[in-house]
Amino acid sequence: MRKLKSLLASASITAFMLAGCDSFPGRPTSAELPLRPSAVTDFAALFGENCAGCHGPDGKSGAAIGLNNPIYLTVVDDVSMRRVIAGGIAGTAMPPFAKSAGGSLTDSQIEILIAGMRKNWSGTAGAGAGAPPYSSSTPGDSNSGAQVFAANCQSCHGADGNGGPKAGSVVDPSYLTLVSDQYLRTIVIAGRPELGHPDWKNDVAGQALTPAQVSDVVAWLASKRPASPLAKSN
């Protein structure tokens, strides 16, 4: 009987101490505890943590292509955006972000990123009206692409693309090794307005590039890429 009373007393003291810990001054409430990474649903937080390091804090002016670009957001569809965010692009600096591919984002968080970019950065309607398609199943002709480059691009990037008075080299082996053909195509179509790079209709005033010309100049650029065992067609 004495042993039972002792056990009950010990249990009471333990319960009292545990209850007291919950009321210690400074103990954070459940609302003050940081969210688990998989529970974050704020677009700005998700973009800042996962995308801003390459694409810039506001989706532009980063090392990688600007996502805060109304023309880009007009030509790219959700399927393509989802595929690239989730699975990355092999052989480039774009890693996979989906948990199923070894990343840290849930499918829902990827959808939040896509919706947030469209809501915040799509700009005025019709910004990319008449733009060539985001991708093409028809390969371009590099010989024709050399002529397209000479007529539309070399005034900034220099003859043969090695750098000119207004812009740097676009045939540098290190650069071409890190980017895909689709990346090059997207830059040609959407430009990098924050860096002064024109879009497909403003390389030469009044002479917008046709879809075939876009494919051709991308083929010419890709022909300058060093041989690699990894395809870069995404």
Side-chain angles (χ1 to χ4, degrees), residues 47-186:
F47 190 90
E49 181 66 26
N50 297 280
C51 315
C54 292
H55 296 283
D58 193 29
K60 56 187 177 182
S61 300
I65 187 172
L67 303 176
N68 184 349
N69 182 332
I71 295 176
Y72 166 73
L73 292 172
T74 295
V75 298
V76 68
D77 58 34
D78 287 3
V79 173
S80 298
M81 293 179 74
R82 189 179 299 114
R83 182 182 69 247
V84 172
I85 296 171
I89 302 176
T92 74
M94 177 64 187
F97 281 92
K99 282 193 169 186
S100 59
S104 61
L105 298 180
T106 66
D107 292 345
S108 295
Q109 288 174 320
I110 292 174
E111 296 303 318
I112 290 170
L113 282 171
I114 294 171
M117 284 187 276
R118 294 208 181 280
K119 177 181 177 181
N120 292 287
W121 299 335
S122 287
T124 58
Y134 173 73
S135 60
S136 174
S137 59
T138 304
D141 180 270
S142 62
N143 291 325
S144 296
Q147 299 175 32
V148 175
F149 185 89
N152 296 273
C153 313
Q154 77 171 20
S155 62
C156 289
H157 293 287
D160 298 322
N162 287 305
K166 298 180 182 179
S169 172
V170 287
V171 295
D172 180 86
S174 298
Y175 168 70
L176 291 174
T177 298
L178 290 172
V179 299
S180 67
D181 290 1
Q182 180 60 62
Y183 184 101
L184 295 171
R185 182 181 180 87
T186 303

